[in-house]
Amino acid sequence: MRRTELFRTAQFRLALAFTTALAACMLLTFGFVYWQTALVETGRIRYEIVDEVENAAKIETDDLLRDIDLRIAADLHRLSYAALFDPAGKLLAGNIAAIPDDLPIDGAAHRMPAAAIGGAAVGGVDRRVAGTRHVTLAARHRADGGTVIIGRDMTEVVVLRQTISRGLLLGIVPSVALSLIFGMLLSSRALRRVRTVQQSIGHIMGGNLLERLPTRGTADDLDKLALEVNRMLDQICHLLDEVKSVGDNIAHDLRTPLSVMRAKLERALAATGAADLETVASSTLADLDKAFAIITALLRISEIENSRRRSEFGAVDLRDLLAEVFDLYEPLAEAKSITFTARPAERLPVVTGDRDLLMEAVANLVDNAVKFTPAGGRVELSATLEAQVPVIRIVDSGPGIAAAERKSVLKRFYRSDKSRHVGGHGLGLSLVAAIARLHGFCLHIGDGMPGAIVELRCQPVDPADLPAD
C-alpha cells in the first residue's frame, strides 16, 4: 500500500480535519484559561495592594512601622515590598531604598520595573523572567506628611503563565499525534476494504456475474452500500436470465410455425393444381398471423412495462367495464355450455387507470377462465369493495393452477402441463401482470377448490371518493 494513497483516503482527510479542529479547540481553551488566570491573579494583587496602602495611610506611625517589619520578616520569598518615608523623603522603615521618581502618589496600583526600586532577583525564577521582572506599587500620603508604599513582585504571575504555556504544549502535541495515528489506522483499514471491493468489481466486470461485493455484517456505510449493489446485481442477473429465457422461448415458438410454413410451401411447389396452391397459401397466411400475434403481444408487453401509456390514465367505472366484458364473452361461454355471471357491487368507486388496458386485462382473465373451464362449468366475474380497495375477481370451476406454478404462469411463454392441449402462446397472463404493475395493482392467483380465483386488487381509494349509499 503506497503511503501517498493512504494520505488521499477520505478517512485520513476526515481524521486530519478532526485533528485540526481538535487542536484549534485546545488552543482556544488553553488561551482562554491563560488569559483569565493572568487577569484574575493580577487584579487580585492590585486590589489587595490598594486596600493595604489605604489602611497603612490611616494607622499610627508606630503601628505601621511594626506592621512593615512583620510583613518583611514573614515574606520568605521576598515578593512583598513596604516602606515608610518621612515628609522629606527619608526612609524610616521598609525594603524600598527611595521613592521611585515615576511612581504617582495617588493610592492607585502602578506597574513598574523591579530595577526602579532596586528589587533583587527572586529565587527559582527563569533567567529570562528575572531580566524582565516588574512590580506593582501603590503609594499614599499620610496625615503627618509622610509617604507609605506597598508593593508586590509580579514574578509569581509570570511563572504561572509559563506553567500554563508549558502545559499547553505538553498536552496538544501528543493529542494531535494520537489523532493522526488513529486517522492513519482507520484509513488503512478502510483502504483494505476498498481494495477488496475493487477486486470484486473487477471480477464482475470480467464477466463473473455471480461474484458479489464482500460484507462484514457490521451494517456500516460500506456494508449498506455493498448490500445495495449486491441487490442491484441480483436484479440485473434476474433480468438477464429473463431476457435469455424470453429469447429462447421466442426462438422456440417462432421456429414451429416457420417450420410448418416451410413444409407447406415445399408441398405447394410439388403440387400441380391451382386449388392446392390456394389452400397452402391460405394456411401459410394463418401461420404467419400466429407469428405476428406473438411478436405483437411481446411488443405490447414491452410497451406497457416501459410505462409509455400513463398519458391515457383517467377515471374508470368498474361497473361499466365489467358489463362490457360480460357482453363480450357471454356468447362464447354460452356456446361452451358454461354458466357465466357478472356481479359488480352496487357501491363501487371509480379507479384511476387506462380503460383500454384494464379492459384488456379483465378480458384476458375471463378469456382464460372460459377457455380452461369444461362444458357445464361456471365462470363468475365480480367487483367488490374490500377495506376501501376495489377488487375485480374471476372465479372458475376449471382445473385451477397449482400453487407451485402460480408465480411461473406470469412469466412469458410459460405453459403448464394442464394447458398445453389448449391453444395460446403463454403471453396472456404476462400481459395482465404488466398491466397490473403499470397501474400499481396487485394480481393474485388463488385456489377456487375447484378451479382458480384470480384477483386484481386496485389502489385503495379515499373514503371521500366513495359513492353515497
Side-chain angles (χ1 to χ4, degrees):
M1 183 184 304
R2 290 181 297 180
R3 189 174 302 173
T4 54
E5 191 176 6
L6 177 67
F7 292 153
R8 288 201 299 267
T9 61
Q11 286 76 14
F12 183 79
R13 292 178 181 178
L14 182 62
L16 188 62
F18 175 76
T19 302
T20 304
L22 175 65
C25 290
M26 292 182 67
L27 283 173
L28 286 174
T29 303
F30 278 102
F32 181 76
V33 172
Y34 176 85
W35 172 61
Q36 279 294 306
T37 301
L39 184 66
V40 170
E41 186 64 14
T42 302
R44 182 186 65 80
I45 292 174
R46 293 172 67 91
Y47 175 80
E48 290 179 354
I49 289 175
V50 171
D51 185 61
E52 289 176 0
V53 78
E54 183 177 359
N55 293 331
K58 297 176 181 177
I59 63 176
E60 297 294 332
T61 302
D62 293 340
D63 293 338
L64 178 59
L65 291 173
R66 184 172 59 255
D67 288 347
I68 290 175
D69 290 339
L70 290 174
R71 181 188 184 96
I72 295 173
D75 183 19
L76 299 179
H77 298 289
R78 292 185 295 170
L79 296 175
S80 292
Y81 293 95
L84 176 63
F85 299 90
D86 65 11
K90 179 182 177 182
L91 178 64
L92 298 178
N95 55 1
I96 300 175
I99 300 174
D101 295 336
D102 299 332
L103 177 63
I105 305 176
D106 55 2
H110 298 278
R111 184 173 183 271
M112 303 190 68
I117 59 173
V122 179
V125 177
D126 191 293
R127 290 181 180 178
R128 289 169 297 181
V129 176
T132 58
R133 286 177 55 217
H134 66 275
V135 297
T136 298
L137 300 176
R140 183 177 283 275
H141 290 298
R142 288 172 51 82
D144 58 4
T147 303
V148 61
I149 300 176
I150 300 296
R152 176 83 176 181
D153 194 310
M154 302 302 290
T155 303
E156 282 184 330
V157 177
V158 176
V159 172
L160 180 61
R161 289 177 175 174
Q162 286 182 336
T163 303
I164 294 175
S165 300
R166 194 178 300 112
L168 170 63
L169 292 176
L170 292 177
I172 195 170
V173 171
S175 298
V176 171
L178 283 175
S179 297
L180 290 176
I181 291 173
F182 277 118
M184 293 177 68
L185 290 176
L186 292 175
S187 302
S188 177
R189 290 183 58 188
L191 197 55
R192 282 198 295 271
R193 290 189 66 183
V194 171
R195 281 192 171 281
T196 305
V197 172
Q198 285 178 333
Q199 290 176 355
S200 298
I201 292 175
H203 295 160
I204 295 170
M205 294 177 65
N208 183 10
L209 295 180
L210 298 179
E211 178 87 9
R212 292 293 179 268
L213 302 187
T215 59
R216 292 182 174 179
T218 55
D220 58 8
D221 293 342
L222 282 179
D223 256 17
K224 291 178 180 176
L225 179 62
L227 289 173
E228 291 296 327
V229 173
N230 288 341
R231 275 197 284 271
M232 181 184 69
L233 291 172
D234 291 340
Q235 184 65 18
I236 290 175
C237 286
H238 175 70
L239 293 175
L240 288 176
D241 289 341
E242 280 198 345
V243 170
K244 182 176 180 300
S245 175
V246 168
D248 295 342
N249 289 326
I250 291 174
H252 179 269
D253 278 52
L254 290 182
R255 182 179 179 180
T256 300
L258 289 176
S259 299
V260 171
M261 282 187 285
R262 188 177 190 282
K264 290 179 179 177
L265 290 174
E266 286 177 348
R267 284 200 301 271
L269 288 176
T272 56
D276 293 337
L277 285 174
E278 184 176 351
T279 302
V280 171
S282 299
S283 178
T284 303
L285 284 175
D287 292 336
L288 280 174
D289 289 341
K290 291 180 182 177
F292 281 130
I294 294 174
I295 295 173
T296 302
L298 288 172
L299 291 175
R300 186 161 180 74
I301 293 174
S302 176
E303 178 192 14
I304 293 170
E305 289 182 338
N306 288 332
S307 303
R308 293 176 183 173
R309 295 198 51 156
R310 286 186 178 277
S311 59
E312 304 295 331
F313 274 31
V316 179
D317 189 326
L318 292 181
R319 288 178 59 84
D320 290 346
L321 189 143
L322 262 63
E324 193 170 339
V325 173
F326 179 78
D327 293 340
L328 185 63
Y329 281 92
E330 186 185 22
L332 181 61
E334 185 178 355
K336 287 189 66 178
S337 300
I338 294 173
T339 304
F340 183 33
T341 58
R343 294 192 179 91
E346 290 294 332
R347 188 166 173 260
L348 276 177
V350 295
V351 298
T352 300
D354 186 319
R355 191 181 188 284
D356 293 341
L357 289 180
L358 291 178
M359 175 77 182
E360 187 172 357
V362 176
N364 258 293
L365 295 176
V366 172
D367 183 75
N368 279 342
V370 172
K371 188 187 302 178
F372 290 103
T373 299
R378 60 178 175 79
V379 174
E380 297 175 2
L381 173 63
S382 63
T384 58
L385 184 65
E386 301 175 2
Q388 299 177 8
V389 176
V391 179
I392 302 171
R393 183 176 291 113
I394 298 96
V395 182
D396 65 60
S397 59
I401 301 174
E405 291 184 313
R406 288 170 192 166
K407 188 174 182 182
S408 300
V409 294
L410 302 181
K411 296 179 180 177
R412 299 173 190 178
F413 296 109
Y414 182 86
R415 304 193 69 187
S416 66
D417 293 336
K418 297 178 182 177
S419 62
R420 293 192 184 279
H421 65 286
V422 182
H425 307 293
L427 294 172
L429 286 178
S430 300
L431 182 63
V432 175
I435 293 173
R437 282 194 297 272
L438 176 67
H439 288 78
F441 294 176
C442 178
L443 176 61
H444 176 262
I445 301 175
D447 193 347
M449 294 185 299
I453 298 177
V454 183
E455 293 178 347
L456 262 179
R457 303 184 70 85
C458 307
Q459 296 273 18
V461 297
D462 193 316
D465 296 334
L466 294 176
D469 293 331

